């Protein structure tokens, strides 16, 4: 059967086989093999890490790891499938390619955010950058923060991406890299985040910046993150040099030639040095090899690689600034060694697989492996048991939401301010409702406190760990601990793919009443209470609490708070129904076209205590309902905001008092609506716990007894427990003594 190569779009084949990919202008990048790129203009593929390219037949052979003859059969099958599709389906791929070809990058169409919080958090916490360095980058517009975007398939709102603009020689932005900050290994593979080039970007450019006039050397990287990592580590020695940094956004060497040509025209000479700082793996050395044959008079080509990890960001996170510099001849020899090693490893693996298929012999396992399998089996059964405990505990807490009294007890527990995640807070309460101060065995021991013998602990999830596995050429997943030394070496050099999955170990914790803690021990264990409003409601403390809450709303929730505008009363009267108490005290106004544009409006005539309660209530709406389902009843939303407010007030020492009955009455009516939404409504407790805990932790980090915590006060650590804390301590001590006396009798 004759096959029209041009008529069979490679993108159609990816859809036909269900091969995941991301779109980057006129290129498709495979999710599982991110160095494999398909050019939709030319209908050709380029697999950089394997140095393979060609048409659809070549792609099938490479992707399936089969012979050209076998690939021809699969190609023919796809041809039959494609030719049987209707004209509309076939035209779709050609129209997409045509539209892509005609699109030109337009920076004016990109919406950016004034806030840089998400960018700061990702680069500092996930990528290991210095906060001050990131602040300088954002202030100088070297990087920008995009707007939150809605996933086309799931309709979920994604965190804003980081934008790395490409500037031409005139300072105009001609393209950009997008670095996603939504971490999802299942969706985005081993990288964990989405990473792509903006549609229409000028392929002759890349993300670039320079020190001095940038004329003396050109340093080339595979990504903007790598370029900035290198710059942060080596800025002191580069600050006084004329160096240009260029990201290829992959291994596209055409960008380097274009940049050299521009530098030659601008400076009337080529740079003295071309530094190829691509990754320390097979693909990185192959990219550098392209320049081994290029020798320009007056320009020296050298290779630089990190000494820790695969790329420069790995080195930055390892806090190691060492550089390995080599000549291009040395780089060539290293490449040959890597290619030989990779080829031998693949041959050895193929022989092993073939021998197993032919003989089908089951060999006796060494005793060591048998013991390891038994231990793994016991460990697996233990985890199954613990997971059942956790499942039961979460179910109990979920069932509590049908009983207003149980709800109040749970929220009182949350208001204590324990520094646990939402899920672990629910797990602790689901296993022990009277828990107060909860720690692990070692944490108590570090404070000189011993867990009583025979005590049964609670099960919670520990901090996530990245479990690394190696993917063999046959697609088999092998955990790092089970891999051979040879496989681990291949993974380190990038010759075998690796995948990292987050694993949450199950850990055991105890309540303080299960220990020998004394009254003197307890104050240092109690979480810091931001203010003692139960005993001292001074105007200064009240204003400090309100201003801190307002700061959280503006800086963390990114909402505007209007509290001194005299027109607010009329606004509330026009937009909020009158109640028996008159005009509403506040409202959250959300722009439905842009959920991130939110304003909290408060009446200017409110006393400070009402301002605190009302702002806390509206912050609950902001945290929970900016992107909520439009079908969620208003009563349920009000219930969630009210519960969030209750926890915040309780945390700062304001007892509901007379309004407790109103809370209980409102909750009773609203919880009936939740029960009716049982199958559709997310866990009410989890949502409220997450929103309120985030706010109370913020208060505790910044206030102590109504005073702002400065670095000096935090370092001195002379914060004394409040009267409320001391009363709580005494009650806990009495409970512990009564329990001890009961055991003695």
């Amino acid at each position: 059967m004759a096959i029209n190569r041009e008529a069979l779009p490679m993108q159609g084949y990816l859809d036909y086989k269900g091969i995941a990919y991301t779109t980057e202008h006129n290129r498709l990048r495979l999710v599982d093999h991110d160095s494999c790129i398909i050019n939709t203009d030319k209908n050709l593929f380029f697999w950089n890490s394997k140095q393979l390219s060609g048409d659809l037949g070549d792609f099938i052979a490479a992707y399936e790891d089969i012979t050209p003859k076998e690939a021809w059969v699969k190609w023919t099958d796809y041809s039959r499938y494609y030719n049987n599709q209707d004209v509309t389906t076939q035209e779709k791929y050609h129209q997409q390619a045509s539209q892509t070809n005609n699109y030109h990058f337009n920076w004016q169409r990109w919406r950016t955010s004034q806030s840089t919080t998400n960018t700061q958090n990702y680069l500092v916490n996930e990528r290991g950058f210095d906060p001050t360095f990131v602040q300088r980058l954002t202030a100088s517009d070297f990087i920008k923060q995009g707007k939150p975007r809605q996933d086309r398939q799931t309709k979920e709102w994604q965190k804003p991406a980081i934008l790395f603009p490409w500037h031409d020689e005139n300072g105009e932005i001609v393209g950009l890299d997008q670095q996603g900050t939504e971490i999802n290994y299942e969706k985005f593979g081993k990288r964990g985040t989405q990473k792509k080039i903006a549609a229409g970007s000028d392929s002759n450019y890349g993300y670039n910046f320079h020190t001095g006039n940038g004329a003396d050397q050109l340093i080339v990287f595979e990504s903007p993150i790598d370029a900035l990592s290198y710059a942060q580590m080596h800025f002191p020695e580069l600050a006084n040099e004329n160096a240009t940094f260029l990201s290829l956004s992959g291994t596209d060497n055409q960008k380097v030639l274009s940049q050299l040509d521009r530098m030659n025209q601008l400076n009337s000479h080529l740079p003295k040095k071309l530094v190829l700082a691509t990754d320390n793996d097979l693909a990185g050395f192959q990219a550098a090899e392209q320049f081994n044959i290029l020798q320009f008079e007056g320009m020296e080509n050298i290779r630089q690689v990190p000494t820790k990890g695969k790329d420069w960001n790995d080195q930055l996170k390892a806090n190691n600034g060492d550089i390995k510099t080599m000549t291009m001849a040395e780089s060539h020899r290293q490449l040959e060694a890597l290619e030989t090693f990779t080829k031998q490893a693949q041959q050895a693996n193929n022989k092993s697989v073939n021998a197993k298929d032919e003989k089908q012999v089951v060999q006796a396992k060494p005793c060591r492996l048998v013991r390891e399998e038994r231990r793994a089996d016991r460990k697996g059964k233990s985890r199954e048991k613990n997971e059942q405990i956790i499942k039961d505990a979460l179910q109990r807490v979920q069932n509590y939401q049908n009983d207003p009294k149980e709800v109040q007890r749970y929220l009182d527990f949350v208001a204590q301010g324990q520094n646990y995640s939402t899920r672990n807070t629910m797990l602790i309460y689901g296993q022990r409702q009277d828990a107060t101060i909860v720690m692990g065995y070692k944490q108590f021991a570090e404070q000189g406190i011993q867990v009583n013998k025979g005590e049964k602990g609670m099960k919670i999830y520990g901090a996530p760990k990245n479990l690394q596995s190696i993917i063999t050429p046959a697609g088999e997943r092998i955990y790092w601990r089970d891999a051979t030394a040879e496989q681990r070496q291949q993974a380190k050099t990038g010759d075998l793919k690796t995948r990292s999955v987050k694993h949450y170990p199950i850990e055991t914790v105890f309540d303080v009443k299960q220990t020998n803690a004394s009254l003197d021990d307890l104050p240092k264990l109690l979480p810091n209470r931001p203010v003692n409003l139960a005993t001292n409601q001074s105007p200064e403390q009240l204003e400090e609490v309100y201003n801190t809450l307002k700061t959280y709303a503006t800086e963390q929730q990114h909402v505007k708070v209007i509290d001194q505008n005299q027109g607010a009363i009329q606004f509330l009267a026009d937009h909020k129904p009158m109640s028996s108490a008159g005009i509403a005290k506040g409202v959250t106004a959300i722009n439905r076209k842009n959920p991130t544009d939110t304003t909290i409006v408060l009446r200017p005539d409110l006393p400070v205590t009402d301002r605190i309660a009302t702002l806390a209530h509206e912050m609950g709406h902001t945290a929970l309902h900016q992107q909520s389902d439009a079908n969620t009843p208003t009563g349920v939303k009000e219930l969630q905001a009210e519960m969030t407010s209750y926890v915040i007030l309780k945390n700062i020492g304001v007892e509901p008092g007379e309004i407790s009955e109103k809370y209980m009455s409102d909750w009773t009516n609203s919880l009936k609506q939740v029960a009716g939404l049982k199958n559709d409504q997310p866990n009410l407790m989890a949502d409220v716990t997450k929103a309120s805990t985030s706010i109370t932790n913020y208060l505790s980090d910044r206030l102590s007894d109504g005073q702002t915590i400065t670095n000096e006060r935090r370092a001195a650590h002379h914060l004394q427990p409040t009267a409320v804390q001391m009363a709580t301590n005494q009650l806990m001590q009495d409970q512990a003594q009564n329990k001890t006396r009961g055991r003695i009798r």
Side-chain angles (χ1 to χ4, degrees):
M1 174 182 177
I3 296 178
N4 185 341
R5 299 187 175 198
E6 295 183 358
L8 294 178
M10 297 184 71
Q11 183 176 7
Y13 182 80
L14 299 183
D15 295 336
Y16 165 69
K17 296 293 289 185
I19 301 172
Y21 59 87
T22 59
T23 304
E24 303 172 0
H25 180 38
N26 64 335
R27 305 192 305 177
L28 311 177
R29 187 185 296 272
L30 302 196
V31 172
D32 290 338
H33 304 281
D34 56 13
S35 68
C36 183
I37 297 171
I38 293 171
N39 187 315
T40 55
D41 294 351
K42 301 177 180 178
N43 207 30
L44 298 173
F45 85 100
F46 304 87
W47 200 325
N48 294 315
S49 65
K50 295 187 176 183
Q51 289 295 287
L52 297 174
S53 61
D55 58 19
L56 179 56
D58 300 317
F59 171 78
I60 295 173
Y63 186 82
E64 302 284 352
D65 194 19
I66 55 179
T67 65
K69 184 177 180 180
E70 293 169 325
W72 178 264
V73 174
K74 292 182 178 290
W75 199 0
T76 304
D77 291 340
Y78 169 59
S79 177
R80 293 194 187 97
Y81 167 83
Y82 181 79
N83 289 326
N84 286 330
Q85 300 300 302
D86 57 62
V87 176
T88 303
T89 301
Q90 295 181 8
E91 284 297 321
K92 177 182 69 173
Y93 296 108
H94 298 291
Q95 288 174 358
Q96 288 175 348
S98 175
Q99 291 169 0
T100 301
N101 295 342
N102 295 329
Y103 182 81
H104 296 286
F105 178 84
N106 184 356
W107 172 242
Q108 301 302 322
R109 296 182 61 182
W110 283 81
R111 298 169 61 239
T112 58
S113 173
Q114 294 297 318
S115 170
T116 59
T117 302
N118 192 71
T119 297
Q120 291 269 352
N121 290 340
Y122 178 80
L123 292 179
V124 173
N125 299 329
E126 298 294 334
R127 293 296 196 158
F129 282 94
D130 179 79
T132 303
F133 183 69
V134 177
Q135 289 171 3
R136 290 174 179 171
L137 290 172
T138 54
S140 304
D141 289 338
F142 277 103
I143 54 178
K144 302 287 287 184
Q145 180 170 304
K147 290 281 190 177
R149 301 179 70 87
Q150 194 173 29
D151 189 287
R152 293 181 180 178
Q153 296 179 340
T154 65
K155 303 304 180 184
E156 295 179 351
W157 284 88
Q158 306 294 318
K159 291 181 180 179
I162 303 173
L163 309 180
F164 297 91
W166 303 355
H167 293 87
D168 66 9
E169 57 273 24
N170 299 315
E172 298 295 325
I173 300 178
V174 295
L176 60 83
D177 288 91
Q178 290 176 266
Q179 171 63 62
T181 58
E182 191 79 24
I183 300 176
N184 187 329
Y185 290 96
E186 181 177 349
K187 183 176 182 179
F188 301 120
K190 69 175 184 178
R191 181 186 289 123
T193 57
Q194 189 177 41
K195 183 178 175 182
K196 59 183 181 180
I197 298 172
S201 295
D202 189 334
S203 59
N204 290 312
Y205 293 85
Y207 181 66
N208 65 89
F209 54 93
H210 58 78
T211 59
N213 62 20
D216 292 340
Q217 59 177 310
L218 174 62
I219 313 176
V220 178
F221 304 88
E222 289 189 27
S223 73
I225 293 286
D226 285 338
L228 293 173
S229 298
Y230 185 101
Q232 177 179 310
M233 289 186 290
H234 305 291
F235 190 79
E237 58 263 38
L238 290 170
N240 298 320
E241 296 186 18
N242 300 317
T244 296
F245 295 70
L246 173 67
S247 165
L248 304 181
S249 302
T251 54
D252 183 0
N253 288 308
Q254 182 59 43
K255 294 179 187 292
V256 181
L257 297 175
S258 298
Q259 181 65 35
L260 288 173
D261 183 55
R262 286 191 294 273
M263 294 174 74
N264 190 32
Q265 293 183 34
L266 286 170
N267 307 309
S268 300
H269 64 82
L270 288 169
K272 299 174 184 177
K273 188 182 297 182
L274 171 63
V275 181
L276 300 164
T278 49
D279 291 354
N280 188 10
D281 61 7
L282 182 60
F285 275 91
Q286 288 171 335
E289 179 69 8
Q290 304 299 316
F291 292 90
N292 205 13
I293 59 175
L294 296 179
Q295 298 294 328
F296 294 104
E297 184 177 354
M299 186 178 76
E300 178 188 10
N301 296 351
I302 64 171
R303 179 89 166 98
Q304 287 187 348
V305 294
T307 58
K308 294 288 184 181
K310 185 191 78 168
D311 56 38
W312 297 104
N313 189 242
D314 287 343
Q315 180 124 338
L316 176 67
K317 289 187 285 189
N319 196 28
N320 184 315
D322 294 341
I323 295 177
K324 182 178 181 180
T325 302
M326 59 183 76
T327 65
M328 295 308 294
E330 291 171 331
S331 177
H332 177 72
R333 288 194 292 271
Q334 178 71 16
L335 172 61
E336 288 183 328
L338 284 172
E339 289 178 333
T340 300
F341 180 83
T342 302
K343 185 176 180 180
Q344 290 174 345
Q346 290 175 343
Q347 290 174 345
N349 184 72
N350 291 337
K351 288 180 180 179
S352 174
V353 172
N354 292 336
K356 183 178 179 181
D357 291 340
E358 291 173 4
K359 296 180 180 179
Q360 294 293 317
V361 176
V362 180
Q363 299 178 347
K365 298 177 182 177
C367 294
R368 177 182 60 82
L369 293 179
V370 173
R371 289 195 299 270
E372 288 179 356
E373 288 184 356
R374 288 176 178 173
R375 282 197 296 269
D377 185 55
R378 287 196 299 270
K379 187 175 181 180
K381 290 180 179 178
S382 175
R383 184 172 177 88
E384 287 179 7
K385 181 180 177 181
N386 290 336
E387 285 180 339
Q388 187 60 46
I389 292 173
I390 285 174
K391 182 179 179 182
D392 293 342
L394 289 175
Q395 187 60 52
R396 279 195 293 274
V397 176
Q398 191 167 2
N399 292 339
Y400 292 154
Q401 69 184 39
N402 298 321
D403 185 344
K405 291 184 179 179
E406 288 289 354
V407 168
Q408 187 173 24
R409 292 192 190 100
Y410 172 72
L411 296 180
D412 287 345
F413 170 76
V414 176
Q416 292 179 105
Q418 290 287 344
N419 191 21
Y420 282 100
S421 67
T422 298
R423 181 167 58 175
N424 281 342
T425 298
M426 297 173 67
L427 284 174
I428 292 168
Y429 188 77
Q431 295 171 77
R432 192 181 182 102
Q433 292 188 22
D434 65 341
T436 49
I437 299 175
V438 177
M439 294 184 183
Y441 185 94
K442 290 183 178 179
Q443 289 175 297
F444 275 122
E446 289 171 356
Q447 301 290 338
I449 299 171
Q450 184 67 41
V451 175
N452 297 328
K453 188 176 181 180
E455 292 287 356
K456 183 179 179 181
M458 295 165 281
K459 304 299 181 183
I460 66 171
Y461 286 109
K465 299 179 179 178
N466 287 327
L467 282 187
Q468 193 173 25
S469 57
I470 298 172
I471 310 301
T472 68
E476 179 186 3
R477 177 181 294 181
I478 302 174
Y479 283 114
W480 189 270
R481 63 174 182 267
D482 300 327
T484 65
E486 185 179 43
Q487 288 170 328
R488 292 181 183 182
Q489 181 59 33
Q490 287 180 269
K492 289 178 181 178
T493 58
D495 299 328
L496 284 181
K497 294 288 185 181
T498 60
R499 182 164 296 173
S500 183
V501 179
K502 283 194 180 297
H503 168 72
Y504 291 84
I506 297 176
E507 296 181 354
T508 303
V509 292
F510 301 88
D511 182 60
V512 70
K513 293 185 288 297
Q514 297 175 280
T515 72
N516 65 351
S518 65
L519 180 61
D520 294 334
D521 293 321
L522 298 178
K524 64 184 179 183
L525 302 178
L526 280 167
N528 174 55
R529 296 300 288 270
V531 70
N532 183 20
L533 296 182
T535 59
N536 179 17
Q537 294 192 18
S538 69
E540 294 79 13
Q541 285 193 350
L542 289 168
E543 284 294 338
E544 194 70 43
V545 170
Y546 175 75
N547 288 331
T548 306
L549 281 174
K550 185 176 177 180
T551 301
Y552 178 92
T554 55
E555 293 186 356
Q556 302 297 314
Q557 295 184 326
H558 308 299
V559 303
K560 297 184 288 289
V561 178
I562 299 176
D563 55 3
Q564 298 299 320
N565 191 320
Q566 295 300 318
I569 295 178
Q570 186 61 47
F571 177 85
L572 291 167
D574 293 341
H575 294 84
K576 195 78 171 174
M578 291 279 286
S579 67
S580 58
I583 297 175
K585 297 179 180 179
V587 69
T588 299
I590 301 175
N591 184 341
R592 293 303 174 191
K593 293 183 178 180
N594 180 13
T596 61
D597 182 13
T598 304
T599 303
I600 293 176
V601 181
L602 303 180
R603 281 172 51 174
D605 60 339
L606 295 178
V608 66
T609 49
D610 279 0
R611 266 191 288 140
I612 291 173
T614 307
L615 179 58
H617 178 98
E618 300 305 332
M619 287 167 66
H621 278 305
T622 303
L624 296 167
H625 305 136
Q626 274 186 298
Q627 300 167 10
S628 63
D629 187 348
N631 296 324
T632 304
T634 301
V636 175
K637 294 181 180 180
E638 288 299 320
L639 170 67
Q640 290 180 310
E642 218 166 80
M643 289 180 172
T644 303
S645 174
Y646 178 91
V647 172
I648 295 168
L649 294 178
K650 188 88 174 181
N651 178 258
I652 62 178
V654 174
E655 294 296 332
E658 295 180 359
I659 65 171
S660 181
E661 292 183 5
K662 180 181 182 301
Y663 270 111
M664 296 298 288
S665 174
D666 291 345
W667 291 353
T668 300
N669 296 329
S670 298
L671 285 170
K672 291 178 182 178
Q673 296 186 54
V674 176
L677 296 171
K678 191 171 184 180
N679 295 329
D680 303 322
Q681 184 71 9
N683 192 320
L684 178 72
M685 297 297 200
D687 292 343
V688 172
T689 302
K690 184 176 181 180
S692 59
T693 300
S694 175
I695 298 171
T696 56
N697 284 347
Y698 184 88
L699 289 171
S700 297
D701 286 344
R702 287 157 179 79
L703 295 175
S704 181
D705 291 347
Q707 299 180 43
T708 302
I709 300 177
T710 62
N711 291 334
E712 291 76 10
R713 292 190 72 223
R714 186 177 284 110
H717 206 263
H718 288 154
L719 305 178
Q720 297 297 319
T722 65
V724 175
Q725 290 173 326
M726 293 303 294
T728 304
N729 293 348
Q730 185 61 57
L731 175 61
M732 292 165 55
Q733 179 66 9
D734 292 342
Q735 291 173 336
Q737 289 176 349
N738 291 335
K739 189 169 184 179
T740 303
R741 284 196 292 270
R743 284 198 298 270
I744 294 174
R745 288 195 296 270

